[in-house]
Amino acid sequence: MNPGPWGILIIAVVVLLLFGRGRISSLMGEVAGGIKAFRKGMADEEKPVAEIDQSKSEAPMSEAKDAERSKDA
């Protein structure tokens, strides 16, 4: 029970009538944004764990040192 070319065309017209052109294009834009975010997340995950740990541990240390300096002054 495969839809032929006419069946696909009728389904596409019905979907277009139900949702409208603007809503479909915005939905496709959101899907594309989600794919880009997923790819970026996958690329970020390829960083070595040691680099991530160092970058996280450096920020709190410098903030703590700044807090100690302000207390001493």
Side-chain angles (χ1 to χ4, degrees), residues 37-55:
F38 177 76
R39 286 183 180 170
K40 182 180 177 189
M42 292 301 292
D44 288 346
E45 197 164 312
E46 291 178 1
K47 286 184 177 179
V49 176
E51 285 182 23
I52 296 171
D53 289 341
Q54 287 176 356
S55 64

Side-chain angles (χ1 to χ4, degrees), residues 4-48:
W6 286 107
I8 293 173
L9 182 65
I10 291 172
I11 292 171
V13 169
V14 169
V15 168
L16 188 62
L17 289 173
L18 286 175
F19 294 108
R21 193 176 129 232
R23 191 165 182 192
I24 292 175
S25 67
S26 68
L27 180 66
M28 287 297 135
E30 291 176 9
V31 169
I35 291 171
K36 287 179 184 177
F38 177 76
R39 286 183 180 170
K40 182 180 177 189
M42 292 301 292
D44 288 346
E45 197 164 312
E46 291 178 1
K47 286 184 177 179

Side-chain angles (χ1 to χ4, degrees), residues 66-73:
D66 291 338
E68 287 178 20
R69 288 180 190 157
S70 64
K71 286 180 184 178
D72 292 337

